[in-house]
Structure formats: structure tokens, C-alpha cells
């Protein structure tokens, strides 16, 4: 679907115009939940998940049959500073791997019954090194936001956004500090596995980026410190809300992109849950700052949307229980 | 498959005769894991799960296509002491609900692509009140162990055992204390939701059972303090190992039954992982005592095998990544 904006301000207006959850559907789903054949609250977080999902779909007894996973890829000028354990060519090599079905996200999408789309964003043109200037021009940011918005299938009923971009935990760390405060070392981790010297370099690069773009927050932080694949995710997450499609957030990088929306327009992520807690150390800090509690905590730190894709089946199971179970009256079970 | 024992001693011999994990398959799976297109360890616990699964299946590149969920039901004489928030008739009502597809476990099994079998064990004859004598005779225990053993489909490739039995968190609490020590109040929780007075009564009943059956551990504890559905689960978990079928343990009651095997024959649960951490408070203590780290922690406290069934898709996803991903060489990706 054509993105309804051609400027950053236009994007913010479009985001603000997205719907809220449906209070009537929520109330009806809560009432249904109390009648299902189980002790009150015995399905724990699955109950709250199903009710949240019902509210966003505007349907007290919803189904999930069309999850979409979109992996955005982008290249980062800041890799020239030696911030990653892998060379920048790996971004494009992994895009080919996604297209040929060989990556983790291919398997995880299939296991979740999800359609997987891969969107490579101008890989031949890395963003600018953010220690020297803004990573993107306004036009470049808008282009990536639009690509993200337009990648969302309006018929999807759950969205996961993932990413591939050598160097992008450096961007994510800088965005964490820009949006939520704290020192560069609070937000900088080993990413795909840099050694101690690499971690020290990476922390200096994050500090230099924060110095150069002091005060940037929200979408301006995304433009100055982010990357095309982060902007793609932000655009897609906003579009999902426009279509009433609940979102499962992935790990550190996805959360960093999403946080830019929430800082720009508080509440912008009410249609999103955190799929998992990444092993990238600062992810816990970021989720805390965003007020999100992860569904899974299995030590993943891969990106690609992997942790969120793994959580799709949790959400599906929650919704299947909510919509498919019998009530006490239907089943002739004494309700205690 | 016909159970190869007709006595408790025969069961213990059969359990001791079950195979170990296949060291060659484990080594081959570990080597494969290092070649997959991801940074080392980036799939976190999914990697260790897949390798464990491969070792138990004796196949370095396994698939999961036939999970089985078995729900055992039994009635407990100890319900006469007022230990549950629900009347004892609910056990049978819920069995009908399982058979008609209306319960949470029906939805969760379907979402996991699992076959669901429901085995009602002499519901018309509750076990004896364990505060007055052993819950079961030796013959009754053997009958339930055999029913559990024989319920396992040798063609299944993952097993989940669940239960339904009003009063059975009382049995599970007593088994926790009998097998692992500690005070009755350390192990006794609210189950399906007893109030403060109910909890006090329940704790007294657990204490009385422990006094009467002092020193009982392992299978003798299962006989004196357990129930038919707990014994059914224990029999099925042992049979799974005989067939090299990895097991996902459910919550407090399933873990209590499984713990009897582990106390009787140390290492008997090496083919089992903990599917989830129940909201029933003492489950964390029990898993600690068993050396198991749960895959999920979503506040469930329903039983029926629900938390373990929810974890089937996690294991499936782990195995799908392990067996389906491309290697660096296959994908032409630089490995850093």
C-alpha cells in the first residue's frame, strides 16, 4: 500500500493518525476469557496477550493465519571504523542466503507459518559514517521509511520486522543513548562478537556519534545515527498500526528503531510486544526504558527477526486458546 | 507397546536398561552447528537444544514431525480434606472437555502439530487419602506405570505428558518435600486457587502425609503420596527414553512425577528438558533440585501439559534451524 507521506513531518502525522486499540473488543475479550474452562488466570501471560491482540484486531475472538516477517538490509558507513567482527560484504551475502532459504530466519518463519519478505535497501550505498555527519539525509530517511511502510501486507495479521546490516549494533547503541540517556558504554556490546579491543573502538565510535549529534532524539536520532534497515523497520511498524496489525518486536536493533517512534510519538508502540530478550547486554536496558516485558529469554543475539519469529507461535497459541476453548457452560464443567 | 515389567522392581530395571544419548550424533551435531550461517552461539539456547535433541535421536540432522501429548487423569482421595478450589467431579468433566476438544491443551496441541491422547485412569476409584495410608497399593502403582508406558507411541519424536486431577498439587507438594527435603510450606501453593484458609489446610495435609510416610523417596514416594495420573506420567517418561523420544516436562505436577524417576535412578531425566516455569511457587524450587532450566516463563499454572505443549514449537524451531540452515560454505558467506 502506497505510503501516505513524502516528508519526515508527513510520516509523524501519519503515525499520529493511526488507530488506538478497540475498547469494546477488549472488553468483550476480557469477558470471554473469564468464561473459559480453566481456573482464573491459569494461562498466565497468554491471557493478556490474547486480549491485547483481540483489542488491536477489533475482534473479540480473532484468529492468526497470516503472519508476515520482513527482513530489511542496509549497509553502514561506520563499519569503516572497525566496529564489527564481520566484513561489510556479509550484509549482501546474507541477503542472498535469505533469498535462497539458508538462514535461521527462513527456518523460523516457516516454523511459524509466516511469509518472509526480504528488502535490501540500497546496499551499494552505505549510510554516511555517523561520526562525521548524519547517517542519512532527510530524503534518504523518508525513502527508507516509505519502503518499510509499503512492505507491510495489509492482509497480514501479525508483523515481525528483522534486519541484517553489518555494523548496526553500533547504530542501535547510539540510538539507545540518544533516546534514553546514559553513557556510551552502557549501551555498547559485542554484537556479532567483537573482541575487547573491538568493543573499546565501538564504544568510542558511539561516543563520537553522540557528541556530533548531541540532542538528536526520535526520528532525528534515527536519521543521524540510524541506518536504512532501521528506518525500514520503523516505517513498517508504523504501517502495521495503520492496518491494525499487532507487531512482535525483535531484539536490540529492532527495539532501537522502534524506540525512535515511541520517543517521537509517545504510545506509538502500544500495538507491539517484545518478542524476546536478546543476549546483547543493553537490550534489557532498552526494553525497560520502553516499558516492554519480553515473551522469551533464550539467549539469542542473531537479529534477522529471529527472536520475534520464534515468539509468533506463542502469540498464535495464546489466541488459539482464547478463541478456540470451550466455556464452562458449553463444556458442562463446574466453575469452582 | 507392551510394558516390559509387572512389578515396581521390574519397572526400575526397565528404566535402568534405557539407552543413553548417542555421543557420536552429539559430536556430529556440534560440528554442524559451528558451520551454520550465524555468528557462533547467536541462536543461544536453541543451539544446545538442537544438539541435545540430535544426540537423543541418534541423528545429527533430525526433524520433528510427530509430537505426542498425553494427558493422564486420576482422582485423589485427599480431596476429601478440602485441599482444592474445585470439586472432585471436575476431573471427569475436564476429561470430557479434552475429548470434545474444548480445553487449552486441545488448542495448544493443535498449535504444536501434536497428536493428543487422553488416558483416564480409574476415575471411579480415587486413590486412598495419603494422610491415612499409602495412596496406592503396589499393584495399583504398577498398573498406572504400565498404562503410562503403553500410552507412548514409539513413532513419536517428542513427548509431552500432562495431567488432570483435582487435588494433585497437594500430591506434588508432598512429593517435592519427600524427594528433596524442606518444610511442607516450602512446597505447598495455591494450585487452582485456594484461599488462605484452604492453603493452611492443604499445608497441614501435606505435613500429615509426610509424617505418615516418613522416609519414602522415589517410586515409594510416588506410591504413597502420588496418584494414578502422576504414575502414568512417570511410566510414559520412562518409555519415551526406551524409544529415544526426547521429553518436554510440564509444570509442578509433571515435574514432581518425573522427579521420582530421577531420585530412584539418577540421570533418568537426561532425555528431558523443562518446558516452562509454572506460577505455582514451588516449581522453581523443584526445577532447581532437578537441575533443569525452564525454556519458558509465562506465568502459566494450568497443568494439562499446557506449558510443555507451548514449548514444543520452540524445540521444533531449534531443530529446524539446526537441520535446515545453510553452512557458510554452502551459502558463500564469509565467516568473520
Amino acid at each position: 500500500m502506497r505510503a501516505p507521506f513524502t516528508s519526515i513531518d508527513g510520516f509523524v502525522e501519519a503515525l499520529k493518525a493511526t488507530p488506538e486499540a478497540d475498547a469494546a473488543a477488549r472488553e468483550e475479550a476480557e469477558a470471554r476469557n473469564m468464561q473459559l474452562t480453566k481456573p482464573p488466570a491459569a494461562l498466565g501471560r497468554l491471557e493478556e496477550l490474547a486480549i491485547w491482540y483481540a483489542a488491536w484486531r477489533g475482534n473479540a475472538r480473532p484468529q492468526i493465519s497470516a503472519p508476515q516477517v520482513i527482513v530489511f538490509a542496509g549497509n553502514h558507513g561506520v563499519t569503516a571504523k572497525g566496529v564489527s567482527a564481520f566484513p561489510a560484504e556479509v550484509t549482501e551475502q546474507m541477503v542472498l542466503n535469505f533469498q535462497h532459504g539458508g538462514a535461521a530466519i527462513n527456518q523460523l518463519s516457516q516454523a511459524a507459518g509466516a511469509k518472509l519478505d526480504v528488502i535490501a535497501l540500497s546496499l551499494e550505498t552505505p549510510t554516511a559514517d555517523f561520526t562525521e555527519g548524519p547517517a542519512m539525509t532527510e530524503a534518504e530517511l523518508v525513502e527508507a521509511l516509505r519502503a518499510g511502510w509499503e512492505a507491510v501486507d495489509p492482509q497480514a495479521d501479525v508483523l515481525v520486522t528483522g534486519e541484517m546490516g553489518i555494523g548496526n549494533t553500533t547504530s542501535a547503541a547510539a540510538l539507545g543513548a540518544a533516546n534514553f540517556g546514559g553513557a556510551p558504554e552502557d549501551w555498547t556490546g559485542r554484537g556479532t562478537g567483537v573482541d575487547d579491543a573491538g568493543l573499546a573502538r565501538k564504544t568510542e565510535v558511539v561516543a563520537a556519534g553522540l557528541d556530533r549529534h548531541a540532542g538528536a532524539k526520535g526520528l532525528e536520532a534515527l536519521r543521524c545515527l540510524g541506518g536504512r534497515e532501521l528506518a525500514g523497520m520503523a516505517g513498517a511498524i508504523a504501517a502495521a498500526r495503520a492496518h491494525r496489525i499487532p507487531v512482535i518486536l525483535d531484539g536490540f536493533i529492532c527495539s532501537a528503531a522502534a524506540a525512535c517512534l515511541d520517543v517521537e510519538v509517545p504510545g506509538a508502540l502500544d500495538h507491539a510486544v517484545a518478542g524476546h530478550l536478546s543476549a546483547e547486554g543493553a537490550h534489557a536496558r532498552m526494553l525497560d526504558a520502553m516499558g516492554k516485558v519480553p515473551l522469551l529469554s533464550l539467549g539469542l543475539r542473531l537479529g534477522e527477526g529471529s527472536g520475534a519469529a520464534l515468539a509468533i507461535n506463542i502469540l498464535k497459541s495464546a489466541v488459539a486458546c482464547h478463541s478456540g476453548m470451550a466455556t464452562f457452560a458449553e463444556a458442562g464443567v463446574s466453575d469452582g
Side-chain angles (χ1 to χ4, degrees), chain A residues 109-288:
Chain A
S109 297
Q110 195 180 332
K115 175 173 79 160
L116 171 62
D117 293 304
V118 180
I119 313 272
L121 295 166
S122 309
L123 297 187
E124 67 293 351
T125 314
T127 52
D129 177 345
F130 67 55
T131 65
E132 295 172 4
M136 292 177 276
T137 64
E138 291 197 13
E140 286 170 332
L141 174 61
V142 169
E143 187 181 33
L145 288 168
R146 286 179 58 91
W149 187 290
E150 295 178 358
V152 175
D153 178 352
Q155 301 305 314
D157 49 23
V158 180
L159 178 71
V160 162
T161 62
E163 44 53 49
M164 179 68 220
I166 296 299
N168 66 12
T169 54
T170 306
S171 267
L175 288 173
N179 281 318
F180 300 120
E185 54 270 31
D186 296 337
W187 292 98
T188 310
R190 292 182 189 272
T192 51
V194 289
D195 58 15
D196 288 351
L199 181 60
R201 266 198 309 279
K202 191 171 166 179
T203 308
E204 280 170 30
V205 166
V206 169
L210 290 167
D211 277 354
R212 179 163 289 270
H213 306 290
K217 284 188 186 297
L219 289 171
E220 181 63 3
L222 183 60
R223 185 179 80 80
C224 292
L225 298 163
R228 289 190 176 80
E229 76 281 31
L230 283 94
M233 290 191 284
I237 291 166
R241 181 160 172 156
H243 301 307
R244 293 191 163 284
I245 302 170
V247 170
I248 305 178
L249 299 175
D250 194 40
F252 187 54
I253 301 148
C254 173
S255 301
C260 295
L261 299 179
D262 204 34
V263 166
E264 189 75 36
V265 179
L269 298 179
D270 290 351
H271 68 308
V273 289
H276 81 127
L277 176 65
S278 170
E280 181 75 3
H283 192 217
R285 175 185 295 267
M286 190 172 282
L287 290 179
D288 271 356

Side-chain angles (χ1 to χ4, degrees), chain A residues 55-96:
Chain A
W56 278 98
R57 296 299 286 167
N59 176 355
R61 206 170 167 177
Q63 301 292 332
I64 297 181
S65 60
Q68 182 184 19
V69 175
I70 314 176
V71 179
F72 296 94
N75 272 320
H76 291 257
V78 78
T79 54
K81 293 286 197 293
V83 292
S84 177
F86 286 80
E89 306 88 81
V90 167
T91 302
E92 186 163 10
Q93 292 167 349
M94 283 301 295
V95 166
L96 293 172

Side-chain angles (χ1 to χ4, degrees), chain A residues 19-30 47-63 241 243-246 270-271 315 319 322-323:
Chain A
E20 295 297 325
D22 183 322
R26 181 192 303 275
E27 215 166 295
E28 204 183 323
E30 280 169 349
E47 299 183 19
E48 126 206 353
L49 264 182
I51 292 165
W52 163 82
Y53 185 82
W56 278 98
R57 296 299 286 167
N59 176 355
R61 206 170 167 177
Q63 301 292 332
R241 181 160 172 156
H243 301 307
R244 293 191 163 284
I245 302 170
D270 290 351
H271 68 308
L315 180 59
V319 169
H322 176 84
S323 296

